Amino acid sequence: MHSIYLKEGREKSVLRRHPWIFSGAIRRVDGAPECGETVAVRSADGTFLAHGAYAPESHIPVKLWNFTESEPVDEAFFRSRIASALALRRTVFHGKLPQAYRLICAESDGLPGLVADVYGEYAVCQITGAGMERHRELVGRILLDYVKGVYERSDVDSRTKDGLPARTGHLAGAELPDVLEFEENGLLYRADYRGGHKTGFYLDQRDNRRLVAECAAGAESVLNCFSYTGGFGLAALKGGAKHVLNVDSSEGALALARGNAARNGFSDDAFETKEADVFQFLRSCRDSRKSFDLIVLDPPKFAETASQKERAARAYKDVNLLAVKLLNPGGQLFTFSCSGAIDDDLFAKIVDSAASDARRPLRIVRWLSQGPDHPVLTSFPEGRYLKGLQAVAPV
Ligand code: SAH
């Protein structure tokens, strides 16, 4: 096995079990390991630190598999990591797994480059790095111990950084049916696993959808911005809201949202959709003096990287400012950011600055995050990407 030697002092993050080695930490690569090959990471004095997968073109050329010299990265390794990921889900869901959940959450489950979401009897996975790419068939085979069939949605941008082409299609076991339907919090949903975002559904918002359902009782008017396939909108109606307006720029997502609403017995009158740019739509509501009892803002990732942080912060500020102005007295705002570069403190500051400009002192009543099937390793805080606030406008 080839070895990669770190610069002096750069072993510290590995000793704390952070799973990434940045290019600036590497002093010397012994031999010429292939892209995706397992290498030994060593400190400057040659002490073994970790096994990792090598991706020479990436700014993170090594992602770490384990920290044990005697544990090879073989089938037994992948089997034990996947079993441990499932054990954690059983624990957090008290033995009763939801029909749809994230089974494997990459670094946070000790498997950099692999995401696997379960929808009923099937799994949809994403392989995002060169290391995992080498083991994709093995992983597909192991997943068949848990599900009937596995589909691959490896069409994410991060693959290009590791020099990998996009790939989608059948990976293992039975072919998936055209429709993956599942129940969540008493509602029927469909995952658009072939063409939708992520693996077809935003599983990370499960708990927040339930919270919106609980808080929507008595709401006459709900505005669900960046609605995608209507998750929060359906939850609000289920919870007792009278009317939900779902706004998204994708007519395809809205069509799926309307299908989801119909299957749950909600009428077009109660569940409306509007294809529009949310920023423009919120301005038009302001101009026509519309207002709402409950507003959800769940925008796409405005900051893909840390360098886009400032521009993203301005976009979050704009959209929150527009929304805060539309809240009825005592109205509730559920506002989210899934940009890793925007941390909780910054997000709360952005929302505060929106509230201040709108002259509507908001009170935060809950700090929200991703669900427990999206765990965060203490040594890898980067795993916590989703943050949100529930805030209430003054009466
Ligand atoms: N809240 C959703 C997930 C939102 S994903 C859920 O829980 O399932 C973000 C959505 O924002 C996508 O559907 C995308 O089509 C939409 N979107 C992105 N930019 C937009 C814009 N400027 N205006 C309206 N919708 C936008």
Side-chain angles (χ1 to χ4, degrees):
M1 187 183 303
H2 296 282
S3 287
I4 288 190
Y5 293 86
L6 301 186
K7 292 179 185 160
E8 210 154 313
R10 299 305 286 266
E11 70 284 356
K12 286 198 187 105
S13 75
V14 186
L15 293 172
R16 283 199 304 271
R17 300 204 161 204
H18 190 280
W20 291 348
I21 309 281
F22 289 93
S23 48
I26 295 174
R27 184 170 66 103
R28 179 166 74 82
V29 179
D30 166 30
E34 286 171 29
C35 186
E37 200 173 316
T38 300
V39 293
V41 176
R42 298 183 183 279
S43 61
D45 67 8
T47 310
F48 175 90
L49 296 169
H51 288 118
Y54 185 56
E57 302 297 321
S58 168
H59 72 294
I60 309 172
V62 193
K63 290 195 176 163
L64 302 180
W65 293 123
N66 65 21
F67 304 86
T68 314
E69 192 161 17
S70 58
E71 184 189 31
V73 182
D74 57 7
E75 179 162 345
F77 165 82
F78 286 101
R79 281 192 183 280
S80 103
R81 287 282 155 105
I82 293 173
S84 136
L86 179 64
L88 180 128
R89 274 64 182 177
R90 286 199 195 286
T91 302
V92 298
F93 292 117
H94 320 297
K96 195 176 174 326
L97 294 171
Q99 290 181 9
Y101 61 95
R102 177 151 293 187
L103 170 61
I104 299 166
C105 198
E107 278 84 352
S108 298
D109 284 304
L111 292 169
L114 180 64
V115 161
D117 289 340
V118 171
Y119 297 102
E121 297 179 294
Y122 300 93
V124 182
C125 71
Q126 276 181 330
I127 292 168
T128 59
M132 194 56 79
E133 180 79 0
R134 290 207 160 200
H135 306 283
R136 60 186 281 278
E137 282 174 14
L138 172 62
V139 164
R141 196 152 41 80
I142 297 172
L143 285 175
L144 291 183
D145 285 354
Y146 306 94
V147 291
K148 285 207 307 210
V150 186
Y151 186 87
E152 185 179 354
R153 268 298 299 280
S154 299
D155 52 352
V156 290
D157 291 346
S158 57
R159 278 173 71 89
T160 50
K161 291 180 196 151
D162 280 13
L164 302 169
R167 187 192 306 103
T168 60
H170 172 259
L171 176 60
E175 293 281 345
L176 272 67
D178 287 339
V179 172
L180 284 183
E181 196 166 74
F182 60 93
E183 195 233 279
E184 181 199 271
N185 300 332
L187 287 162
L188 280 180
Y189 289 101
R190 282 184 178 179
D192 179 14
Y193 71 94
R194 287 200 186 106
H197 297 172
K198 298 196 175 212
T199 64
F201 197 72
Y202 284 82
L203 293 169
D204 51 358
Q205 291 281 25
R206 181 191 310 100
D207 288 2
N208 300 323
R209 280 188 286 269
R210 190 173 49 222
L211 178 66
V212 164
E214 284 166 15
C215 297
E220 295 286 330
S221 54
V222 173
L223 179 62
N224 181 19
C225 297
F226 308 99
S227 65
Y228 189 48
T229 53
F232 282 110
L234 295 176
L237 284 186
K238 169 94 180 164
K242 296 284 176 303
H243 180 265
V244 179
L245 177 54
N246 298 278
V247 184
D248 200 283
S249 55
S250 157
E251 173 46 32
L254 292 174
L256 292 172
R258 288 190 294 272
N260 282 333
R263 271 184 296 282
N264 286 287
F266 298 125
S267 72
D268 296 350
D269 290 343
F271 187 91
E272 245 189 278
T273 57
K274 168 97 186 150
E275 181 189 348
D277 172 73
V278 163
F279 292 82
Q280 282 175 14
F281 181 77
L282 293 176
R283 283 193 189 94
S284 74
C285 288
R286 180 192 62 195
D287 296 344
S288 57
R289 301 190 170 277
K290 276 208 193 85
S291 59
F292 301 89
D293 292 334
L294 191 158
I295 299 179
V296 177
L297 289 180
D298 185 23
K301 208 191 269 182
F302 287 152
E304 292 288 342
T305 59
S307 61
Q308 296 164 356
K309 190 159 120 177
E310 262 175 49
R311 209 185 54 196
R314 276 198 297 279
Y316 286 115
K317 159 87 184 284
D318 285 352
V319 79
N320 278 280
L321 173 57
L322 288 163
V324 171
K325 289 182 175 167
L326 302 182
L327 282 173
N328 282 329
Q332 302 177 74
L333 175 69
F334 292 82
T335 180
F336 297 95
S337 160
C338 59
S339 303
I342 308 275
D343 64 17
D344 281 275
D345 278 0
L346 178 56
F347 191 53
K349 281 196 186 104
I350 290 167
V351 175
D352 169 55
S353 141
S356 159
D357 285 12
R359 298 183 186 285
R360 304 211 54 197
L362 291 180
R363 275 172 296 175
I364 295 170
V365 293
R366 283 191 178 92
W367 270 262
L368 308 172
S369 189
Q370 61 218 47
D373 48 342
H374 295 63
V376 183
L377 258 183
T378 54
S379 58
F380 185 62
E382 293 88 336
R384 174 147 196 264
Y385 61 96
L386 182 63
K387 61 220 64 86
L389 296 169
Q390 178 188 3
V392 182
V395 179

